[in-house]
Amino acid sequence: MPKIALAQIEILAGQPALNAEKILSYIERAKNQNAELIIFPAMTISGSLIGDTLQQESFLRDCKSYEEKIIAESSNITIIFGNLEDILVASNGKLITLENSVCKIKLSGQNYRVACNLNENFTSAQIDFRVNISSKPFRIGAEKIRNEKFSAKAKEFNCPIIYVNSTGIQNRGKVIYTYEGNSTVYNATGEIVHGLEPYEENLSIIELEEIYNMPALELSDYEEVEEIYGALSYGVEKFLQQININKVVIGISGGIDSAVAAALYTQVLGAENIYLVNMPSKFNSSTTKNLSEQLAQNLGCNYAVVPIQESVDFTVNQLNNTAFNRRGKNSSINISDFVKENIQARDRSGRILAAVAAAVGGVFTCNANKAETTVGYATLYGDEAGFLCALADLWKFQVYELANYLNEVIYDGEVIPQGIIDIVPSAELSSAQNVDEGKGDPLKYLYHDYLFRAFIEDLKTPEDILRWYLDGKLERNIGCKHDLVNRYFPTKKDFVADLERWWKLFTGMAVAKRIQSPPIIAVSRRAYGEYKESQNSPYFTQEYLSMRDENF
């Protein structure tokens, strides 16, 4: 009875020597366990996200050289693996030809017709079983979709499917993807009968004929927030290992984003390696200062308070008293209240956090969420700075869900104080953002999260939004709670003003800010950095302008 080895391995993009070394060791382990077939994920040698390295002849030559070494090890075992954009089947020291993705292999003296796929396009050929090695990064809900599709195809073609995925992280420059593994075996009736744990390397041996007799697994229904936590904690851990950093500095404000970031990084690195810094100005309330201290005590991290008002005042006074000379004439500049807000943000990140990170031999974080990133609600070279923005693909409501999950499941206790979860979100950069008076950010997250999600993830424009608004279908179509629109915008004029304000920012200055923002960890179906956008001025379609003018 032939044994099949599922090799769920971590692939290091652009490192064919290290990948080949691991592949060869797994082949040896499989042989020692009498496996006759071993299956690796796609692009096992090269990695999949390697950019223009694919154009380097010397790199391609190395990949082919390691491919030949792996083929040479296929005596007494058949190897299915990926290199560059090819799927390869090797046996007895040579490649087996694939015809329309189907090949013939011999296991335990018996011939098998096997379909081998790099993607999710299934052929309808008469086969004995199917192998799919389409190495896919994590996306919220993607595993459920794959299971439904693969189960249906296994049942339709009446043959088992063996799916092998990789672990690890890979990136497209500013977008970091986690690969969760979750390699799965489906029997001929579409039931899942075997699965590997996510985010763990594994060599799992199954007997081919037993696939038909294995009992169906009882699958746990993972909550979305559980998937998100798994991807973020794994992604942060692997990225820190990749850049050889083990100390992280986080500016904490008493708000939800920095609190979740602090709890996340503490879980990954340990409290002794986390430095939390509260940097109050005269606008920061005792409420948020006390909540920051409570958070640090709960987590057990290194904690310091570094007030910034003196340095902010110094900068403002220095600039107010600075003369600019042009052709013998002096002029001065005006430091407005808005500019003073920016000075606070830059003083915190560019001066304090950067200096503390350098002093401890670490890095400092950016704590922005996806709503803020969408419209550029952050200060360039200020709170938008950092080595990584782990939460930048999460909407605000997902940040709150993650906060509760961290408390209830990961820490089994209230490490993020309930006061942080309950307080109004506020940057506290002016008296207009006094949290003790219930004043906060200009974003109404219960509505704007969903409006902005329609912009970026569903590619909707003001034309779509206004049409839904006029038809009374807006809240249902974007997914927010009922009657929020009327509560927030008493008149049609208020609604249109809000819509145009954020669309202009989303397609205007926010694009420039996103280009200069830190890397992010992708979890959604459309993350910034992979979303193709250009620095063009905002545009409103003819139909939108016609509807607006006709109705307002």
Side-chain angles (χ1 to χ4, degrees), residues 300-372:
C301 300
N302 304 287
Y303 179 64
V305 178
V306 184
I308 64 167
Q309 194 60 53
E310 184 178 348
S311 61
V312 169
D313 290 342
F314 176 83
T315 301
V316 171
N317 292 333
Q318 184 181 42
L319 294 177
N320 277 333
N321 293 309
T322 297
F324 285 81
N325 184 278
R326 181 175 182 271
R327 295 178 178 175
K329 293 183 179 181
N330 288 339
S331 63
S332 61
I333 57 175
N334 175 48
I335 307 302
S336 66
D337 289 343
F338 177 72
V339 173
K340 291 175 185 177
E341 293 182 16
N342 293 153
I343 290 172
Q344 292 174 64
R346 294 189 179 106
D347 195 59
R348 289 182 172 120
S349 294
R351 185 174 71 90
I352 296 171
L353 294 182
V356 173
V360 302
V363 290
F364 72 95
T365 68
C366 173
N367 304 322
N369 59 64
K370 197 168 187 175
E372 295 168 343

Side-chain angles (χ1 to χ4, degrees), residues 130-143:
R130 185 181 305 276
V131 170
N132 188 290
I133 62 170
S134 54
S135 191
K136 298 282 189 178
F138 169 82
R139 303 283 189 179
I140 294 171
E143 183 191 2

Side-chain angles (χ1 to χ4, degrees), residues 461-462 499-511 514 534-541 544-545:
T461 68
L499 174 60
E500 293 191 359
R501 173 190 183 183
W502 299 117
W503 178 258
K504 288 175 182 177
L505 286 170
F506 166 59
T507 56
M509 186 60 188
V511 180
R514 287 193 289 271
S534 301
Q535 295 189 78
N536 303 324
S537 56
Y539 178 75
F540 294 92
T541 63
Y544 170 79
L545 296 174

Side-chain angles (χ1 to χ4, degrees), residues 246-267:
N246 60 8
K247 295 186 186 299
V248 170
V249 179
I250 305 171
I252 58 170
S253 61
I256 191 68
D257 298 316
S258 60
V260 168
L264 177 66
Y265 281 93
T266 299
Q267 186 64 28

Side-chain angles (χ1 to χ4, degrees), residues 15 111 220 425 499:
Q15 298 294 327
N111 290 321
S220 302
L499 174 60

